[in-house]
Amino acid sequence: MGTLPPLSATSLSLRFWGTYFLAIVLLAVGLVVGPAPPASASDYRLNAGDVLTFDFLDDAELPITATVSGNGEAQFPLIGGVNVVGLTITEAIEKLGSEYRRRDILVDPKLSLNISTFRPIFVLGEVRSPGSFPFYSGLTVEQAIGLAGGMQVVTANASDRLIVRARLRAEIEAAKAEIVHEAVYAARLAAQLKSSEKVDLKDVPEVARTHVEELPVDGVIELEEKILKEDLAAYRSQAQILTEGIAQAEGGIEILNELVQQQKDIVSNSVDDVARVGALRQRGLNTESELSRAENSAATEKAQLLETFATLARTRQEMSELKLQLAKLAADRKKDILTQLQEREIAIKKLIAEQRSAEEQILLLAAVARDESKKNQISYAYEVRRSAVGGKPTSLQASLVTELLPGDVVVVSIAGM
């Protein structure tokens, strides 16, 4: 071998310089594209859940569909189940042809086999709607991210920020109005507890008093006082009905007590009559029928006394039930009002939190507008996790143009985080 002359700027040939710059360009392109090789659906190996379309090319029959089951087999005409998991479409066609020939079914089978439905791909990480999505041939990382709604963190332009700011301001105003409504509602409930017909703003929950002082509430108070009066009228009407029923029951009990006393006297006289008639009968001064009439009369009066006792007991039970209903009416009303008061306070606190959240978002939008240049510098990293049939899962660093295979998992993350 000869020795090369010493290199100098003047002795390098144009061909050498062209080769040198070409090497630099290729190296730069390799760094930009990344290490993930392009994938093709033809490289895909069948797996459980794939739906296949199978057809004999030399007959008039329609194609059939065959699903790869959990045990790896798919059912084909005339030969039944054939294990195709782990095979490419080409390898599966060759295996099926061999089966038809081996079983002396076909001499030179002409077969068509395609995948009609692939396993879905998954997109996770910094996307708006992570989840599973249908696979189709030629699907790239960029297209998969589009199916997932795009990047989670995006740069908003000025018009977008104006729209968002207007929406947030509307939410703040709506929250303020709702807080006032809930606060006056709570004050009305407090008035119900006191059986008052007027709403007192002193009864507004402490957390909402500043909001009530800032906004006009006359219209809200007027409406709540109408509700208050209707509620009090309904409660008083029910209570009055029960009270009147109790009063009637008490009056009936007094009357029945008098009847009981009178009936006791009658029974006592009847018993005395029976004794007197019986003594006369022993002396032969009256007949047996007169004694029987006296005994029957005494028995009737005793039965009447027992019936009066039963009526008295029923009336006392009815009065007790009415008193119980009256007490329950008041207790249930108080419990319901206290429950609603608690709900109002929870609702007010939630609305205040929503208002503050919207205000903080407006401040954040202002900060983003001031620091837009930093926001534009966000970049993303893409990883494709691929599980080979019967092999170990692999992880590939990908770019937006990397093609995916069925079952791939795309993970989007913010670079450097």
Side-chain angles (χ1 to χ4, degrees), residues 53-57 93 110-114:
T53 302
F54 175 82
D55 189 23
F56 293 109
L57 296 178
I93 291 175
K110 294 180 174 56
L111 311 175
S112 171
L113 184 67
N114 297 292

Side-chain angles (χ1 to χ4, degrees), residues 184-194 336-337 340-341 344:
V184 179
Y185 185 177
R188 187 254 290 176
L189 293 171
Q192 286 180 240
L193 280 177
K194 295 183 290 187
D336 181 61
I337 292 173
Q340 291 186 60
L341 266 174
R344 301 287 69 74

Side-chain angles (χ1 to χ4, degrees), residues 5-298:
L7 295 177
S8 66
T10 56
S11 62
L12 286 173
S13 66
L14 291 176
R15 182 176 181 181
F16 181 85
W17 275 109
T19 304
Y20 179 75
F21 284 116
L22 179 60
I24 292 176
V25 170
L26 290 175
L27 178 60
V29 170
L31 291 173
V32 171
V33 171
S40 172
S42 63
D43 300 330
Y44 176 65
R45 296 189 176 274
L46 299 175
N47 207 336
D50 290 330
V51 180
L52 310 176
T53 302
F54 175 82
D55 189 23
F56 293 109
L57 296 178
D58 52 359
D59 69 0
E61 297 294 329
L62 294 175
I64 62 102
T65 59
T67 302
V68 182
S69 63
N71 63 4
E73 292 187 350
Q75 299 295 320
F76 296 96
L78 306 177
I79 58 175
V82 177
N83 194 315
V84 294
V85 165
L87 303 179
T88 65
I89 289 294
T90 302
E91 292 170 347
I93 291 175
E94 291 176 355
K95 183 173 182 177
L96 291 172
S98 299
E99 285 294 321
Y100 282 110
R101 286 190 295 269
R102 185 179 65 81
R103 302 187 190 187
D104 294 329
I105 298 175
L106 297 172
V107 177
D108 184 19
K110 294 180 174 56
L111 311 175
S112 171
L113 184 67
N114 297 292
I115 303 174
S116 59
T117 304
F118 290 95
R119 287 185 298 157
I121 56 101
F122 299 84
V123 185
L124 309 174
E126 297 294 332
V127 291
R128 291 184 181 274
S129 302
S132 62
F133 303 92
F135 173 85
Y136 57 85
S137 182
L139 180 67
T140 64
V141 169
E142 183 177 23
Q143 292 166 341
I145 293 172
L147 293 175
M151 303 299 186
Q152 179 67 31
V153 180
V154 295
T155 302
N157 56 39
S159 60
D160 290 337
R161 286 196 297 273
L162 286 174
I163 294 172
V164 173
R165 190 180 292 113
R167 176 179 59 78
L168 291 172
R169 285 175 177 167
E171 290 179 1
I172 291 172
E173 294 303 318
K176 288 181 177 179
E178 192 64 24
I179 290 169
V180 170
H181 172 263
E182 293 288 349
V184 179
Y185 185 177
R188 187 254 290 176
L189 293 171
Q192 286 180 240
L193 280 177
K194 295 183 290 187
S195 296
S196 171
E197 295 186 357
K198 291 292 182 181
V199 173
D200 190 350
L201 292 182
K202 293 180 181 179
D203 294 326
V204 167
E206 186 69 29
V207 294
R209 286 187 181 176
T210 56
H211 293 78
V212 173
E213 293 170 356
E214 293 173 355
L215 296 175
V217 295
D218 293 342
V220 182
I221 291 177
E222 182 180 357
L223 178 60
E224 291 296 333
E225 285 185 344
K226 288 181 180 179
I227 298 173
L228 176 61
K229 290 178 181 177
E230 291 293 331
D231 174 79
L232 287 174
Y235 169 71
R236 288 169 178 170
S237 174
Q238 294 176 25
Q240 182 178 358
I241 291 172
L242 292 173
T243 302
E244 290 176 354
I246 292 170
Q248 290 176 1
E250 289 175 340
I253 289 172
E254 290 181 2
I255 294 173
L256 288 170
N257 282 328
E258 293 178 0
L259 288 175
V260 166
Q261 187 59 47
Q262 293 175 4
Q263 194 64 29
K264 284 181 178 180
D265 295 338
I266 293 172
V267 168
S268 178
N269 293 333
S270 298
V271 171
D272 292 341
D273 286 345
V274 170
R276 180 178 56 78
V277 172
L280 293 174
R281 179 73 186 97
Q282 290 178 353
R283 294 164 58 187
L285 299 177
N286 58 11
T287 62
E288 189 67 30
S289 61
E290 289 177 334
L291 178 60
S292 296
R293 284 196 299 271
E295 289 176 345
N296 290 336
S297 177

Side-chain angles (χ1 to χ4, degrees), residues 385-395:
R385 298 173 184 172
R386 184 169 296 162
S387 297
V389 179
K392 294 182 179 180
T394 58
S395 177

